[in-house]
């Protein structure tokens, strides 16, 4: 990864007064203050997602008055930041792809790979960290930064699921990450962070001392914000073994889907073929077919040859229109 654009830079000028912030957000100071004082009553639970191990991941949402302000904070403040290219996920960027596939591609066909995962990333991103972003990165007055912190945190932490949270999570290490990344670049190493997934790779084999130094650097950087690594997700791999980043194989020049995942998708297509014979018009079959179709579409990005065959099979068992009652 190129060393340029290593530091986050706000294109929003300093804001010295709450009145100026209110003007930018198309509201009034009193309305902003009232919202900040009523965040607990405007919070609501979001979707329940599933982690890879099947355990639930509870997300957050906000009610209309606060959600509207979140949208404006996101568009008028947080999206007005030049984000370093090594930050991937949670950022809308028309110029640079920042998805999981890009995260994997940056580390393809390397000789060594180090992966670390931040434990409970969003709940560990405290209001103090968020205040630091608003006050020091954006250079906003203390009162303005404190108000924005109250508006974008809940119970003292960053809520996963709020419109502003992905951007703030990416900025959590804004003043520590760039120097560490610059050190890695000087050694010819690649670095990227997909939200809570930190990955470093090398185009040459790493000895024990080099590995220790890199891992210590990652832990030191995380510790500066009281983040802790999830030890069970700690991985060191070499080109002689399977190397995986965000669920994709990266041993070759381009990321590909692991065989187990491709087998699962082939099984879904086979299930569609069997269900089609029984009832090709039921809502259940339509849902099953759409799920398989979506997964084949994803496979096409990484294993187009296999995906083409599966797409042909799915097209042959496309759901029929539902029966209509007379």
């Amino acid at each position: 990864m190129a060393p340029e654009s290593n530091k986050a830079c706000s294109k929003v000028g300093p804001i010295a007064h709450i009145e100026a912030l209110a003007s930018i957000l198309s509201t009034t100071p009193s309305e902003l203050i009232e919202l900040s004082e009523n965040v607990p009553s405007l919070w609501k639970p979001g979707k329940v997602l599933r982690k890879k191990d099947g355990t639930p991941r509870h997300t957050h949402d906000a009610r209309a008055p606060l959600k509207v302000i979140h949208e404006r904070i996101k568009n008028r403040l947080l999206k007005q930041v030049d984000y370093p290219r090594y930050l991937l996920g949670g950022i809308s960027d028309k110029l640079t792809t920042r998805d999981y596939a890009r995260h994997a591609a940056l580390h393809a066909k390397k000789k060594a790979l180090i992966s670390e995962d931040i434990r409970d990333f969003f709940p560990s991103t405290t209001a103090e960290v968020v205040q630091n972003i608003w006050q020091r990165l954006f250079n906003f007055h203390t009162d303005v930064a404190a108000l924005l912190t109250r508006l974008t945190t809940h119970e003292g932490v960053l809520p996963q699921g709020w419109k502003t949270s992905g951007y703030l999570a990416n900025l959590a290490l804004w003043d520590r990450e760039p120097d560490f990344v610059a050190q890695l670049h000087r050694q010819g190493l690649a670095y990227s962070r997909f939200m809570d997934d930190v990955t470093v790779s090398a185009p040459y084999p790493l000895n024990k001392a080099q590995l220790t130094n890199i891992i210590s650097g990652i832990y030191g950087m995380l510790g500066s914000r009281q983040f802790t690594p999830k030890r069970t997700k700690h991985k060191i791999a070499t080109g002689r073994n399977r190397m995986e980043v965000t669920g994709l194989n990266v041993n070759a020049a381009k990321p590909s889907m692991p065989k187990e995942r491709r087998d699962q998708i082939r099984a879904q297509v086979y299930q569609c073929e069997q269900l089609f014979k029984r009832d090709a018009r039921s809502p259940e079959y339509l849902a099953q077919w759409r799920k398989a179709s979506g997964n084949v579409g994803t496979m096409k990005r990484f294993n187009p040859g296999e995906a083409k065959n599966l797409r042909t099979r799915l097209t042959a068992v496309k759901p029929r229109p539902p029966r209509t009652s007379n």
Side-chain angles (χ1 to χ4, degrees), residues 40 42-50 56-63 67 154 159-163 165:
L42 295 170
W43 172 91
K44 67 177 183 178
K47 296 178 180 178
V48 178
L49 306 177
R50 292 287 169 182
R57 185 195 300 275
H58 298 279
T59 66
H60 305 254
D61 201 349
R63 303 187 192 281
K67 197 167 187 174
H154 176 58
Q160 183 174 2
W162 279 10
K163 291 178 176 291
S165 293

Side-chain angles (χ1 to χ4, degrees), residues 202-230:
Y204 52 85
L206 297 173
N207 59 39
K208 186 174 181 180
Q210 290 170 317
L211 289 169
T212 299
N213 186 55
I214 294 167
I215 294 168
S216 296
I218 295 173
Y219 290 176
M221 177 183 68
L222 299 182
S224 71
R225 290 293 181 271
Q226 284 72 57
F227 294 135
T228 57
K230 187 181 291 185

Side-chain angles (χ1 to χ4, degrees), residues 8-301:
C9 179
S10 171
K11 293 176 281 188
V12 180
I15 300 178
H17 306 285
I18 291 176
E19 289 78 7
L21 174 66
S23 177
I24 290 173
L25 299 179
S26 302
T27 185
T28 65
S30 60
E31 288 175 341
L32 278 184
I33 292 170
E34 184 178 359
L35 277 177
S36 73
E37 292 172 346
N38 288 283
V39 167
S41 63
L42 295 170
W43 172 91
K44 67 177 183 178
K47 296 178 180 178
V48 178
L49 306 177
R50 292 287 169 182
K51 301 179 184 179
K52 287 183 178 180
D53 61 5
T55 57
R57 185 195 300 275
H58 298 279
T59 66
H60 305 254
D61 201 349
R63 303 187 192 281
L66 182 59
K67 197 167 187 174
V68 170
I69 290 297
H70 282 167
E71 182 73 16
R72 294 174 188 170
I73 292 172
K74 180 188 75 173
N75 290 330
R76 302 177 191 183
L77 300 178
L78 292 168
K79 291 181 77 171
Q80 305 309 312
V81 171
D82 288 326
Y83 290 86
R85 295 180 185 177
Y86 55 75
L87 293 177
L88 305 168
I91 300 171
S92 175
D93 191 332
K94 295 179 181 179
L95 300 178
T96 304
T97 303
R98 294 181 185 264
D99 64 1
Y100 74 103
R102 173 65 176 165
H103 182 49
L106 290 169
H107 304 284
K109 206 174 183 181
K110 297 297 179 67
K111 300 294 185 182
L113 184 74
I114 301 169
S115 298
E116 300 288 350
D117 193 86
I118 304 173
R119 180 183 299 276
D120 299 325
F121 184 40
F122 283 87
S124 298
T125 306
T126 63
E128 181 182 359
V129 171
V130 175
Q131 170 97 12
N132 176 278
I133 295 168
W134 292 124
Q135 189 168 333
R136 295 187 56 224
L137 171 60
F138 283 86
N139 198 24
F140 293 167
H141 186 275
T142 306
D143 293 342
V144 174
L147 177 58
L148 283 166
T149 300
R150 293 196 299 273
L151 289 167
T152 54
T153 59
H154 176 58
E155 295 183 343
V157 300
L158 194 63
Q160 183 174 2
W162 279 10
K163 291 178 176 291
T164 50
S165 293
Y167 290 87
L168 289 167
N170 272 296
L171 295 173
L173 296 160
W174 71 273
D175 55 348
R176 293 300 300 267
E177 215 164 17
D179 289 342
F180 177 61
V181 174
Q183 292 176 21
L184 295 175
H185 285 159
R186 286 194 289 270
Q187 301 172 59
L189 307 179
Y191 173 95
S192 61
R193 175 162 64 86
F194 188 79
M195 206 62 78
D196 60 354
D197 185 308
V198 177
T199 304
V200 177
S201 62
Y204 52 85
L206 297 173
N207 59 39
K208 186 174 181 180
Q210 290 170 317
L211 289 169
T212 299
N213 186 55
I214 294 167
I215 294 168
S216 296
I218 295 173
Y219 290 176
M221 177 183 68
L222 299 182
S224 71
R225 290 293 181 271
Q226 284 72 57
F227 294 135
T228 57
K230 187 181 291 185
R231 302 289 181 171
T232 55
K233 294 289 189 73
H234 167 79
K235 293 180 183 177
I236 298 174
T238 68
R240 294 191 299 271
N241 308 110
R242 174 174 164 179
M243 298 198 298
E244 185 177 304
V245 177
T246 48
L248 296 172
N249 290 335
V250 294
N251 292 74
K254 292 182 179 180
S256 63
M257 270 191 176
K259 182 179 182 301
E260 308 87 73
R261 180 61 179 144
R262 303 199 308 273
D263 288 345
Q264 290 174 358
I265 297 172
R266 278 194 294 271
Q268 289 175 352
V269 172
Y270 176 77
Q271 288 171 1
C272 286
E273 291 170 330
Q274 300 309 304
L275 291 171
F276 179 82
K277 299 173 184 176
R278 301 176 205 163
D279 188 352
R281 301 177 185 272
S282 69
E284 293 78 14
Y285 178 66
L286 177 61
Q288 175 78 12
W289 189 90
R290 283 177 173 171
K291 180 179 179 181
S293 180
N295 287 332
V296 170
T298 301
M299 180 191 283
K300 183 180 178 181
R301 292 185 65 185

